[in-house]
Amino acid sequence: MIQMNYHVQIKSISRLTHDTLCLRLSKPHGYRYGIGQAIEVAIDNPGYEQQFRPFTLTSLPFDPYLELIVKVYPDHGGFTQALSRLGENGPLIITAAWDSYDYRGEGVFIAAGSGITPFIPMIRQLSLSGRIPGHTLLYANKTEADIIHKQALNKALGSRFINILSREYHSKLDYGRLDQAYLKDKVSDFSEHFYICGPEAFSGAIKGYLINQGAAEAQIQIGY
Ligand SMILES: Cc1cc2nc3c(=O)[nH]c(=O)nc-3n(C[C@H](O)[C@H](O)[C@H](O)COP(=O)(O)OP(=O)(O)OC[C@H]3O[C@@H](n4cnc5c(N)ncnc54)[C@H](O)[C@@H]3O)c2cc1C
């Protein structure tokens, strides 16, 4: 089957944290996607049109734009650095959206750093439909400055938004590793759904801790 690609433009770029950008892209007419889906993105400049990288759509399907939240790695000298250098109207090629995460019911979102991206549209949708109770977000970062959308997540989730920092003491946020003891302390029901997103080592470790605490493997989702 021939993969359908779309030519889009960057409509706006804003900085969310010191190393994270929010890109809003033009939305092709009739473009459809679901919450938790991802796309492949390439820069539409000579020599780069075939270099696709995966990113999660953080907008909601009815938004008039497509939104990506991109962590930039300048030291890799690769895709995200090139993307960060494009300005407004920067040309991109995107693929159709494909399943990455799938919302299956109430439970706990567990994210590290830019791993928050699939949960942003889910939480926004839950908030819009008044279904936040029954959901918790455990969010691990190095420092407070790394927390993406801190205010918006706080507003949506209130006391169900739990931050843990590994490299900075903060009077109002937890400090340390998101390990088994921490999960045991923060999670009251291990029969719920668990959604984990972060670096592979993080996701694998968290999944193991959850299973040790009695969570069923079928209830745990891990994506990128
Ligand atoms: C399904 C899915 C969804 C994703 N969604 C998002 C998202 O919403 N937001 C987001 O920010 N990211 C997301 N990612 C991750 C994102 O695709 C990568 O972070 C990104 O493509 C890497 O870009 P880069 O700048 O490292 O460039 P690349 O061009 O991919 O890498 C450049 C070079 O850096 C090298 N490199 C790799 N790691 C290191 C390292 N630690 N130190 C030095 N060099 C290194 C590579 O070998 C390569 O040669 C997602 C990934 C997947 C699989």
Side-chain angles (χ1 to χ4, degrees), residues 66-163:
L66 302 176
E67 186 185 88
L68 306 176
I69 292 177
V70 177
K71 179 169 177 179
V72 179
Y73 297 95
D75 52 324
H76 294 185
F79 184 84
T80 57
Q81 184 187 48
L83 192 61
S84 72
R85 288 178 173 163
L86 292 175
E88 281 181 17
N89 298 321
L92 300 176
I93 305 171
I94 64 168
T95 63
W98 37 272
D99 286 341
S100 178
Y101 281 85
D102 185 21
Y103 177 77
R104 292 180 193 157
E106 291 183 1
V108 185
F109 303 108
I110 306 175
S114 58
I116 191 71
T117 56
F119 308 144
I120 284 175
M122 289 185 195
I123 291 167
R124 198 174 143 213
Q125 179 63 57
L126 290 166
S127 179
L128 284 174
S129 54
R131 291 185 293 141
I132 284 291
H135 300 85
T136 301
L137 170 61
L138 301 181
Y139 193 14
N141 280 286
K142 293 191 184 98
T143 70
E144 186 186 20
D146 296 309
I147 303 174
I148 294 169
H149 279 325
K150 182 167 181 250
Q151 279 187 339
L153 290 169
N154 224 358
K155 193 171 167 204
L157 291 150
S159 61
R160 295 173 174 275
F161 179 34
I162 302 172
N163 285 277

Side-chain angles (χ1 to χ4, degrees), residues 184-207:
K184 209 172 156 185
D185 187 40
K186 300 295 172 188
V187 177
S188 52
D189 180 2
F190 284 89
S191 68
E192 295 181 297
H193 290 277
F194 291 94
Y195 306 87
I196 311 171
C197 190
E200 218 173 305
F202 171 88
S203 299
I206 299 291
K207 183 176 177 180

